[in-house]
Amino acid sequence: MRLLVCENYEEMSLRAAEILASQVRLKPRCVLGLATGSTPVGAYERLVEMHRQGSLDFSQVTTVNLDEYKGLGGENDQSYVFFMRANLFDGAEIPPEHTHFPDGTDPDSVRACRLYEEALAAAGRQDLQLLGLGRNGHIGFNEPGDAFVPGVHCVDLTPSTIDANKRFFASEEEVPRQAYTMGMRAIFAARRILLIASGKDKAEAVKRSFFGPVTPKVPASILQLHPDVTVIVDQEAYSECR
Ligand code: GLP
């Protein structure tokens, strides 16, 4: 694992964007695994800037996203499909047919998970998987539990995650209680993984994920076993590790 400690959110975002951009430049027909949440927004802004300046072409890229809220469709501004369009896909001109998500509108969890597993298999291994980090150490929506879940699955979101994500919704009641998420097998299949974390409220999760035992109680800790992981944090997120 490589750990890079940046001064602040801006520097973390720039470093992450540079790694994503070089992946696309070196292999234009690559598969990018992408994340939502507030953490990657700055990196996505940099990528859109590079595209607008003409130095980055996403036209051949395939993307697979980590997760989607169950019950939300792409027209809902809280869905992850909407988020990705607004923050990256539209600006970087990534063709919608090259992008993949679990189908949040499918009420049949078994079918939704099977179809996304098939979509992931058809897309092929991610050349680079971008991850954020939940305050409880979750990646995607792989919440703390008694075992790492290998396949795409439907998750009951934990109170900690509902609390953390309510800031995006009008009220806590509106936060969906379930989500579909990529499982650990597909995350782990990525050739390279890039995890980013920023701010004091991630400090404990960074410490437990990368400086503690590998345990499903801290889902991101499994990344300690992956052969090619880069973790980029800012000073605040690193503050509990000193
Ligand atoms: C969300 C997403 C994760 C994300 C995490 C952190 O619930 N499912 O993929 O990494 O929580 O979000 P944020 O970056 O807003 O702190």
Side-chain angles (χ1 to χ4, degrees):
M1 180 184 100
R2 280 176 295 276
L3 175 70
L4 181 62
V5 184
C6 295
E7 205 42 48
N8 52 32
Y9 178 79
E10 284 66 37
E11 192 191 339
M12 178 204 76
S13 301
L14 182 60
R15 292 302 193 96
E18 283 167 347
I19 291 172
L20 286 154
S22 61
Q23 172 64 61
V24 175
R25 289 191 183 113
L26 292 171
K27 186 178 174 191
R29 195 179 283 277
C30 63
V31 179
L32 295 182
L34 297 176
T36 52
S38 47
T39 311
V41 170
Y44 291 157
E45 277 172 10
R46 299 284 91 73
L47 291 175
V48 169
E49 257 170 46
M50 293 178 204
H51 174 71
R52 293 211 167 115
Q53 286 159 3
S55 67
L56 197 53
D57 175 13
F58 286 91
S59 61
Q60 299 181 70
V61 168
T62 295
T63 69
V64 290
N65 259 80
L66 284 167
D67 45 20
E68 181 58 281
Y69 286 114
K70 183 175 176 182
L72 302 192
E75 71 301 333
N76 187 308
D77 62 4
Q78 297 305 333
S79 72
Y80 286 162
V81 171
F82 190 100
F83 173 98
M84 289 305 304
R85 285 186 191 139
N87 287 286
L88 182 66
F89 296 163
D90 290 352
E93 295 183 271
I94 300 181
E97 63 276 18
H98 292 189
T99 68
H100 304 279
F101 294 81
D103 181 1
T105 65
D106 191 341
D108 180 340
S109 302
V110 174
R111 180 179 53 200
C113 294
R114 177 175 49 78
L115 289 176
Y116 198 49
E117 203 67 75
E118 287 171 13
L120 292 173
R125 277 172 77 188
Q126 307 91 307
D127 292 286
L128 179 59
Q129 174 67 56
L130 178 65
L131 297 173
L133 182 66
R135 293 195 304 209
N136 59 6
H138 76 218
I139 46 179
F141 269 131
N142 288 271
E143 296 281 39
D146 294 332
F148 295 110
V149 184
V152 175
H153 56 288
C154 180
V155 203
D156 293 327
L157 300 178
T158 62
S160 146
T161 298
I162 292 167
D163 182 61
N165 290 3
K166 71 181 183 203
R167 67 191 193 277
F168 300 112
F169 293 81
S171 70
E172 185 172 329
E173 288 63 53
E174 284 183 33
V175 185
R177 270 26 189 184
Q178 290 187 308
Y180 296 131
T181 186
M182 199 187 276
M184 288 301 189
R185 181 177 51 229
I187 293 175
F188 224 75
R191 292 185 171 85
R192 297 197 293 151
I193 292 178
L194 171 59
L195 182 141
I196 53 178
S198 161
K200 263 231 143 349
D201 62 344
K202 299 295 171 69
E204 189 63 33
V206 168
K207 181 181 172 192
R208 294 178 69 210
S209 300
F210 304 112
F211 298 93
V214 175
T215 163
K217 307 265 183 248
V218 186
S221 65
I222 199 173
L223 300 175
Q224 292 178 37
L225 306 177
H226 189 282
D228 194 336
V229 175
T230 301
V231 176
I232 308 183
V233 295
D234 63 8
Q235 290 287 355
E236 286 189 351
Y238 187 64
S239 56
E240 292 288 326
C241 307
R242 287 200 193 88

